Amino acid sequence: MISFFGCLFVLTLFQYGMLYYKGVIDIIFSVSFLKAIVHQIGFTALMGIVMVFPFNFWENLRSKYGFNLVFVLLSFVLIFEALLTAYYCTTLVPLGSDILGYSYADMKITIANSGGFMISIYLLIGISILISLFLVLYRVTSKVYHRISKMYPFTIVLFSLFMASLFTDGKPINQNKVQYLAVNVYNTSTEDNSYTSKEEYPLVQSANVENVLGEYFDLKEEKPNIVFIMVEGLGRDFVGEGAEYGGFTPYLDSLTTKSLYWENFLSNTGRTFGVLPSLLGSLPFGKSGFMELEEYPNKLTMFSVLKNNGYHTSFYQGTNSSFDKVDRFLTSENVDFVLDKSGFGSKYQKQAEDAAGSSWGYPDKELFKKSLSLERSEDQPRLEVYMTISTHEPFIPPNQDFFEKQVKDILTIGDFDSRVEKIVKKNDNVFATLLYTDDAIKWFMESYKSKPNYENTIFIFTGDHRLIPIPQRNNISRFHVPMIMYSPLLKTTRKMSSVSSHFDITPSILALLSNSYELKMPKKVAWMGGALDMETAFRSTKNIPLMRNKNELKEYISGEKLYTDGDIMELDENMDISSAFGGGSIESTLERFKSVNHYVTTENKIIPDSLTIFSIQKEKFTPAEITWINSIYDGSNFDRSFFKARDLAFDKKWDDALLLCRYILSESPSHIDTKILTGRLHIWKGNYEESVKILKECIAMNPNYIDSYAALFDVYFWYDKHTEGLALVNLVQENSASANEISSKISRAKNSARKAGIDIHKNTNKEAKNTLASIE
């Protein structure tokens, strides 16, 4: 146990050294460091007590069995502590119960796309050193332990230190990370969120939200387009006047002076999982974020309300839409068009791969280029929502050297204090990426001017949360984001210092529209927010719950008081926090909110059926079907279940394969391999029309994915659709970089057309256009 503590001491030293190197802390050996050592002693004593029982049991069976078991168990604990410490040094947030909110697939994607290969190499080296240190320390201490064992008072000292650790105030920085995770998971799992009120729909209220935006816009007769740009990691610390790390978003900085600009705005979640439901739906969180709910309750969002009022709704991102179950949420809202990384085609360049060959998808400028290449109607208003990704680990923007040089130039001419300058230099790739994304947004705004009805468009820019790897001032910094509302329709600009949140945007935008146009609106709503606060001076009057991570609802703002991790703090005009007196009722307010949040999301009590616009179209399965599905699929890996469905199809058990495909697509609508298999299954069962329809949807989803074309070529060939097959040749060669992989099917389609007497050169272009139109 002494050797075990020695390793924990080294890990603690490593943590504080890394945080000092990154510029997060000013000094290594501090009171905080001493507290961390006390907590590590306490954890060591706790582990010693726990290990007594397996040690005695196995040692009594055979000598050294107990010792070897304890050594192995403690080694695993040390490895786990090292992993959690590395995670904390990267994110500056300890891993807690939020680990329960992510699937294995999501965690795998996140690690892989955040420099996973190099991280793995460094961790393997570090873990090898750590276990070697454990062995060396044991051999050293075992030689002198006979002296220590005679010192009976020494055990009293250890016990006293253990007791001291129980009463020593601990913060995430100085707590043992394994202990933090275990306690956090236990507290979350045993939390009592029982709902005791008799009110069936506690969130339902009048739809009469004050139209606070009306006086700032000169609206036209036609409804305006609404365009949201949700920028990954865009914290207030990087944007606008007085930004702590200012100068790296020059275009957005300029927009703040030409817009309605809220400088003290809050994201309601500390990670991306919550931005869509909060921003576009003003929805409660659920346990792990709204999009993680097993079954969605009835809800209203800006998507559904505006679609019901004639808007074309669309969503654009350069990454995989199945991550965080975005695709499932969008499907439930009947969004007209969704672009994710599968839909770009061969003309666009993916983000550079890391050492492991992983890439999130397409960088921000490519996302904007692809979006603006798509046709837009002049006669229909639009709701467009963009989610960027470049300002996320591993921070490797296109033309990285150019933007890193810009970072150096800005540091040279800028007036930065020594701490900020040090942090920027240590994270130059992060700030280079900010410059890249800012430049991409500038390009987007300039290019959008050529789109139909630009002059009748409202643009809304905000961050999903603040960049995590850059040191934060306090617990509210992670949620502190800018909110910029820019439009050619604006009559005047205004800067607000009052506090509002993402919850307030949908109610305020819909109030603006319904006040000027005859919108079909429900008489009652269940928004979590209300009207945006338009006060120019600092004030905080709202009640705002804040979910730091999945499963971690630990912050709550009530007026100018902030409840965070058991402490009550006070907000000031700079969004700094300090200890506050009074406000003890905030904790009980948070507990009441948790019970309502749990009740309405698990019991389908956000709004009644009568207020819904689009009822949730959930696939229905009989008890017998569910039992069969569960017998072959445990729900943890959609790729694995796809392979099972494919095996069933090869065995000609087509109905079973279709049932499993239905289930996969009900949970992951963007799983394109399953969708293609569904198309093939329908043709094998003789359903030509349904097969063609599904496979065309697959090509629309992912015009670069060659398997969709291969399947459709087969269908056209089997059913002698030679003209259609010929048209598909041009389409695949234009859209897919992998057309050579199915050269035999392309040749077959051309030969079949010739044999059928079709003039290839005369028909191809016309039919290709018709085929493309039918796919779109």
Side-chain angles (χ1 to χ4, degrees), residues 100-132:
L100 303 176
Y102 289 95
S103 67
Y104 171 75
D106 282 354
M107 288 189 283
K108 186 177 178 182
I109 290 171
T110 301
I111 293 170
N113 292 325
S114 300
F117 178 75
M118 293 308 298
I119 290 174
S120 300
I121 294 296
Y122 293 144
L123 283 176
L124 284 174
I125 295 172
I127 287 169
S128 299
I129 294 172
L130 186 65
I131 300 305
S132 300

Side-chain angles (χ1 to χ4, degrees), residues 366-428:
E366 296 296 284
L367 168 67
F368 294 139
K369 285 181 179 178
K370 174 64 179 179
S371 162
L372 295 185
S373 73
L374 304 172
E375 293 295 323
R376 285 163 171 79
S377 170
E378 293 189 27
D379 303 321
Q380 185 180 17
R382 308 183 296 273
L383 170 61
E384 300 180 6
V385 180
Y386 293 82
M387 183 179 285
T388 73
I389 192 58
S390 293
T391 40
H392 191 290
E393 293 96 343
F395 303 108
I396 43 177
N399 205 2
Q400 186 170 356
D401 291 342
F402 171 78
F403 288 106
E404 287 187 354
K405 183 180 182 304
Q406 280 196 356
V407 172
K408 291 179 182 177
D409 293 342
I410 292 169
L411 283 175
T412 301
I413 63 175
D415 183 21
F416 298 94
D417 64 43
S418 58
R419 175 182 170 273
V420 169
E421 186 173 353
K422 178 182 177 183
I423 291 171
V424 173
K425 286 180 178 178
K426 296 292 185 185
N427 299 276
D428 58 342

Side-chain angles (χ1 to χ4, degrees), residues 524-544:
K524 290 184 178 296
V525 295
W527 309 132
M528 291 293 299
L532 290 160
D533 194 334
M534 305 299 293
E535 178 60 45
T536 57
F538 172 79
R539 72 176 184 184
S540 180
T541 61
K542 297 175 177 287
N543 291 327
I544 307 173

Side-chain angles (χ1 to χ4, degrees), residues 1 33 68 173 193 266-267 298 418 423 432 523 597 728 743:
M1 298 311 303
F33 180 82
N68 292 335
I173 188 173
N193 289 322
L266 295 173
S267 166
N298 292 330
S418 58
I423 291 171
K523 293 180 180 179
N597 172 63
L728 197 59
S743 56

Side-chain angles (χ1 to χ4, degrees), residues 35 39 164-165 167-171 174:
K35 285 184 178 181
H39 279 280
S165 74
F167 296 99
T168 301
D169 181 35
K171 297 296 181 185
N174 49 43

